[in-house]
Amino acid sequence: MAATLYRVVLDGELSPRYSTVFEGMHMESGGGVTVVVGMIEDQAELHGLLDRIASLGIKLISIEPESDRETIALPGPKR
């Protein structure tokens, strides 16, 4: 099974100290949310990521596979 690029949107603007939770993934905060984008190898890795998010008490807004790596939009501050 090939790895899949996922886009995870979390409630709140997480500080850079959370980057260790999402090691190997890109994390950007703005506009009241944090977006984490990265490759997930398989279902076990995906469930592990979801377990880490839940254990930290972070509210998950959405998670979805990205079909085109060139079209990932990270949020900026809302105007």
Side-chain angles (χ1 to χ4, degrees), residues 24-67:
M25 301 178 89
H26 176 78
M27 185 177 96
E28 188 169 317
S29 295
V33 298
T34 298
V35 175
V36 179
V37 177
M39 299 301 287
I40 303 290
E41 292 295 323
D42 54 26
Q43 289 292 308
E45 186 176 353
L46 177 60
H47 285 276
L49 176 64
L50 294 173
D51 286 344
R52 279 180 276 159
I53 291 168
S55 71
L56 291 169
I58 301 170
K59 181 180 174 186
L60 176 68
I61 294 175
S62 68
I63 184 167
E64 57 189 330
E66 290 291 328
S67 58

